[in-house]
PDB file of all heavy atoms in Angstrom:
ATOM      1  N   LEU A  32    -206.350 -49.389 -24.589  1.00 98.00           N
ATOM      2  CA  LEU A  32    -207.787 -49.212 -24.723  1.00 98.00           C
ATOM      3  C   LEU A  32    -208.441 -48.900 -23.380  1.00 98.00           C
ATOM      4  O   LEU A  32    -209.374 -48.090 -23.298  1.00 98.00           O
ATOM      5  CB  LEU A  32    -208.417 -50.461 -25.342  1.00 98.00           C
ATOM      6  CG  LEU A  32    -208.097 -50.713 -26.817  1.00 98.00           C
ATOM      7  CD1 LEU A  32    -208.648 -52.066 -27.260  1.00 98.00           C
ATOM      8  CD2 LEU A  32    -208.669 -49.600 -27.688  1.00 98.00           C
ATOM      9  N   ALA A  33    -207.949 -49.531 -22.318  1.00 98.00           N
ATOM     10  CA  ALA A  33    -208.499 -49.263 -20.990  1.00 98.00           C
ATOM     11  C   ALA A  33    -208.216 -47.820 -20.575  1.00 98.00           C
ATOM     12  O   ALA A  33    -209.090 -47.132 -20.001  1.00 98.00           O
ATOM     13  CB  ALA A  33    -207.904 -50.229 -19.967  1.00 98.00           C
ATOM     14  N   LYS A  34    -207.017 -47.326 -20.878  1.00 98.00           N
ATOM     15  CA  LYS A  34    -206.667 -45.955 -20.503  1.00 98.00           C
ATOM     16  C   LYS A  34    -207.459 -44.937 -21.304  1.00 98.00           C
ATOM     17  O   LYS A  34    -207.867 -43.894 -20.773  1.00 98.00           O
ATOM     18  CB  LYS A  34    -205.170 -45.721 -20.688  1.00 98.00           C
ATOM     19  CG  LYS A  34    -204.718 -44.396 -20.098  1.00 98.00           C
ATOM     20  CD  LYS A  34    -203.208 -44.260 -20.095  1.00 98.00           C
ATOM     21  CE  LYS A  34    -202.785 -42.984 -19.358  1.00 98.00           C
ATOM     22  NZ  LYS A  34    -201.309 -42.844 -19.319  1.00 98.00           N
ATOM     23  N   ILE A  35    -207.694 -45.228 -22.574  1.00 98.00           N
ATOM     24  CA  ILE A  35    -208.503 -44.324 -23.396  1.00 98.00           C
ATOM     25  C   ILE A  35    -209.898 -44.187 -22.794  1.00 98.00           C
ATOM     26  O   ILE A  35    -210.422 -43.074 -22.641  1.00 98.00           O
ATOM     27  CB  ILE A  35    -208.584 -44.828 -24.852  1.00 98.00           C
ATOM     28  CG1 ILE A  35    -207.237 -44.627 -25.554  1.00 98.00           C
ATOM     29  CG2 ILE A  35    -209.696 -44.108 -25.618  1.00 98.00           C
ATOM     30  CD1 ILE A  35    -207.151 -45.281 -26.913  1.00 98.00           C
ATOM     31  N   ALA A  36    -210.515 -45.305 -22.443  1.00 98.00           N
ATOM     32  CA  ALA A  36    -211.861 -45.269 -21.873  1.00 98.00           C
ATOM     33  C   ALA A  36    -211.873 -44.547 -20.529  1.00 98.00           C
ATOM     34  O   ALA A  36    -212.776 -43.750 -20.238  1.00 98.00           O
ATOM     35  CB  ALA A  36    -212.398 -46.685 -21.708  1.00 98.00           C
ATOM     36  N   ALA A  37    -210.853 -44.802 -19.701  1.00 98.00           N
ATOM     37  CA  ALA A  37    -210.768 -44.134 -18.398  1.00 98.00           C
ATOM     38  C   ALA A  37    -210.590 -42.632 -18.559  1.00 98.00           C
ATOM     39  O   ALA A  37    -211.178 -41.835 -17.809  1.00 98.00           O
ATOM     40  CB  ALA A  37    -209.611 -44.720 -17.597  1.00 98.00           C
ATOM     41  N   THR A  38    -209.799 -42.237 -19.538  1.00 98.00           N
ATOM     42  CA  THR A  38    -209.565 -40.818 -19.795  1.00 98.00           C
ATOM     43  C   THR A  38    -210.841 -40.132 -20.263  1.00 98.00           C
ATOM     44  O   THR A  38    -211.191 -39.034 -19.805  1.00 98.00           O
ATOM     45  CB  THR A  38    -208.449 -40.638 -20.842  1.00 98.00           C
ATOM     46  OG1 THR A  38    -207.253 -41.258 -20.361  1.00 98.00           O
ATOM     47  CG2 THR A  38    -208.185 -39.165 -21.112  1.00 98.00           C
ATOM     48  N   GLU A  39    -211.561 -40.775 -21.177  1.00 98.00           N
ATOM     49  CA  GLU A  39    -212.821 -40.208 -21.668  1.00 98.00           C
ATOM     50  C   GLU A  39    -213.839 -40.080 -20.537  1.00 98.00           C
ATOM     51  O   GLU A  39    -214.533 -39.072 -20.413  1.00 98.00           O
ATOM     52  CB  GLU A  39    -213.393 -41.090 -22.784  1.00 98.00           C
ATOM     53  CG  GLU A  39    -212.585 -41.085 -24.065  1.00 98.00           C
ATOM     54  CD  GLU A  39    -212.696 -39.780 -24.826  1.00 98.00           C
ATOM     55  OE1 GLU A  39    -213.651 -39.016 -24.582  1.00 98.00           O
ATOM     56  OE2 GLU A  39    -211.814 -39.512 -25.661  1.00 98.00           O
ATOM     57  N   ALA A  40    -213.927 -41.091 -19.692  1.00 98.00           N
ATOM     58  CA  ALA A  40    -214.941 -41.112 -18.633  1.00 98.00           C
ATOM     59  C   ALA A  40    -214.684 -40.066 -17.556  1.00 98.00           C
ATOM     60  O   ALA A  40    -215.616 -39.674 -16.839  1.00 98.00           O
ATOM     61  CB  ALA A  40    -215.002 -42.497 -18.001  1.00 98.00           C
ATOM     62  N   THR A  41    -213.453 -39.606 -17.432  1.00 98.00           N
ATOM     63  CA  THR A  41    -213.110 -38.635 -16.386  1.00 98.00           C
ATOM     64  C   THR A  41    -212.914 -37.230 -16.941  1.00 98.00           C
ATOM     65  O   THR A  41    -212.474 -36.326 -16.232  1.00 98.00           O
ATOM     66  CB  THR A  41    -211.850 -39.070 -15.628  1.00 98.00           C
ATOM     67  OG1 THR A  41    -210.776 -39.296 -16.571  1.00 98.00           O
ATOM     68  CG2 THR A  41    -212.099 -40.351 -14.847  1.00 98.00           C
ATOM     69  N   GLY A  42    -213.247 -37.027 -18.222  1.00 98.00           N
ATOM     70  CA  GLY A  42    -213.094 -35.712 -18.831  1.00 98.00           C
ATOM     71  C   GLY A  42    -214.027 -34.670 -18.223  1.00 98.00           C
ATOM     72  O   GLY A  42    -215.067 -35.000 -17.641  1.00 98.00           O
ATOM     73  N   PHE A  43    -213.668 -33.394 -18.358  1.00 98.00           N
ATOM     74  CA  PHE A  43    -214.439 -32.267 -17.834  1.00 98.00           C
ATOM     75  C   PHE A  43    -214.825 -32.536 -16.382  1.00 98.00           C
ATOM     76  O   PHE A  43    -215.976 -32.433 -15.983  1.00 98.00           O
ATOM     77  CB  PHE A  43    -215.682 -32.022 -18.695  1.00 98.00           C
ATOM     78  CG  PHE A  43    -216.351 -30.693 -18.455  1.00 98.00           C
ATOM     79  CD1 PHE A  43    -215.599 -29.556 -18.178  1.00 98.00           C
ATOM     80  CD2 PHE A  43    -217.723 -30.579 -18.503  1.00 98.00           C
ATOM     81  CE1 PHE A  43    -216.211 -28.330 -17.960  1.00 98.00           C
ATOM     82  CE2 PHE A  43    -218.353 -29.356 -18.277  1.00 98.00           C
ATOM     83  CZ  PHE A  43    -217.595 -28.226 -18.005  1.00 98.00           C
ATOM     84  N   GLY A  44    -213.815 -32.905 -15.596  1.00 98.00           N
ATOM     85  CA  GLY A  44    -214.059 -33.275 -14.202  1.00 98.00           C
ATOM     86  C   GLY A  44    -213.127 -32.586 -13.229  1.00 98.00           C
ATOM     87  O   GLY A  44    -212.715 -33.182 -12.235  1.00 98.00           O
ATOM     88  N   CYS A  45    -212.777 -31.321 -13.496  1.00 97.00           N
ATOM     89  CA  CYS A  45    -211.804 -30.614 -12.651  1.00 97.00           C
ATOM     90  C   CYS A  45    -212.405 -30.135 -11.338  1.00 97.00           C
ATOM     91  O   CYS A  45    -211.862 -30.384 -10.275  1.00 97.00           O
ATOM     92  CB  CYS A  45    -211.226 -29.420 -13.400  1.00 97.00           C
ATOM     93  SG  CYS A  45    -210.287 -29.877 -14.858  1.00 97.00           S
ATOM     94  N   SER A  46    -213.505 -29.399 -11.417  1.00 95.00           N
ATOM     95  CA  SER A  46    -214.082 -28.790 -10.221  1.00 95.00           C
ATOM     96  C   SER A  46    -215.586 -28.668 -10.382  1.00 95.00           C
ATOM     97  O   SER A  46    -216.073 -28.256 -11.442  1.00 95.00           O
ATOM     98  CB  SER A  46    -213.488 -27.397  -9.986  1.00 95.00           C
ATOM     99  OG  SER A  46    -214.219 -26.704  -8.985  1.00 95.00           O
TER     100      SER A  46
END
Side-chain angles (χ1 to χ4, degrees):
L32 290 173
K34 189 171 186 179
I35 288 171
T38 301
E39 292 288 341
T41 54
F43 194 36
C45 296
S46 169

